[in-house]
Amino acid sequence: MTGDLLLTLHAVRLLGFADAHAIADRFSRDHSLVESELIDAGVLGFVSHTSFAGSSGWSLSSAGRVENERLLAAELDREDARSVVMGVHNEFVDLNPTVVSACSAIQLQQVRGMAASGILEEVLASWSPLEERLAGSLPRFAGYSRRLMDALERARRDSAWFTATDRDSFHRAWFELHEDLIATLGIQRG
């Protein structure tokens, strides 16, 4: 169950607060299996299920975060992927300020979304080969480029797809990617 628990806890960490379907969908897993794993993880004190403001979902406990980090470290060692992830993270760090700056400018309405779109497309072109290298060692990293491209394509019709928090916007997917990298390496943001 360790590999399954890794994906379940990691999906909860990346999503922050989500229902079982969203958690299962994050890594394209069977919904009923993931729901069962969440219940088991709840019994172990790794996750909790709460409801507020008309929505309910799962979130990671402190013990769950520690367990997730332990499982991620074991995965890095088992797959001998630490140097690959560290190298990709170092290149990601160079791209991140451009994304943060472009998304902030869009949110503050300092630039039109379409003007920032070209900048974000350039970042995505730089990210895609890094993702291929990363997914070659840890397949769970595959899919970020597709999500980022989908968000950019949708932003051409609705600029909310650049930075909105209620959908898989470019900024939201990029933020999740950043969290995925630092969680995998066991380092802190910043």
Side-chain angles (χ1 to χ4, degrees), residues 59-73:
S59 56
L60 207 56
S61 68
S62 296
R65 185 177 178 95
V66 168
E67 180 65 6
N68 180 234
E69 290 171 356
R70 186 190 71 74
L71 294 170
L72 289 168

Side-chain angles (χ1 to χ4, degrees), residues 11 20 28-29 60 69 73 107 121-122 131 140-141 148 151 158 168-169 174:
S28 302
R29 298 182 63 228
L60 207 56
E69 290 171 356
Q107 289 171 324
E121 285 174 6
E122 288 178 25
E131 180 179 312
R140 66 179 172 78
F141 274 98
L148 293 163
D158 178 359
D168 202 26
S169 67
W174 188 262

Side-chain angles (χ1 to χ4, degrees), residues 43-129:
V43 170
L44 294 170
F46 295 151
V47 295
S48 60
H49 189 268
T50 55
S51 299
F52 66 90
S55 64
S56 63
W58 296 89
S59 56
L60 207 56
S61 68
S62 296
R65 185 177 178 95
V66 168
E67 180 65 6
N68 180 234
E69 290 171 356
R70 186 190 71 74
L71 294 170
L72 289 168
E75 176 193 46
L76 273 182
D77 292 341
R78 184 177 62 253
E79 302 301 326
D80 194 27
R82 188 173 305 278
S83 63
V84 171
V85 178
M86 184 61 80
V88 168
H89 175 264
N90 290 342
E91 293 186 56
F92 173 91
V93 167
D94 292 338
L95 298 172
N96 195 45
T98 303
V99 173
V100 170
S101 187
C103 289
S104 294
I106 292 167
Q107 289 171 324
L108 296 172
Q109 298 179 346
Q110 294 170 336
V111 298
R112 292 174 40 99
M114 293 306 116
S117 182
I119 295 167
L120 296 176
E121 285 174 6
E122 288 178 25
V123 168
L124 183 54
S126 297
W127 166 253
S128 292

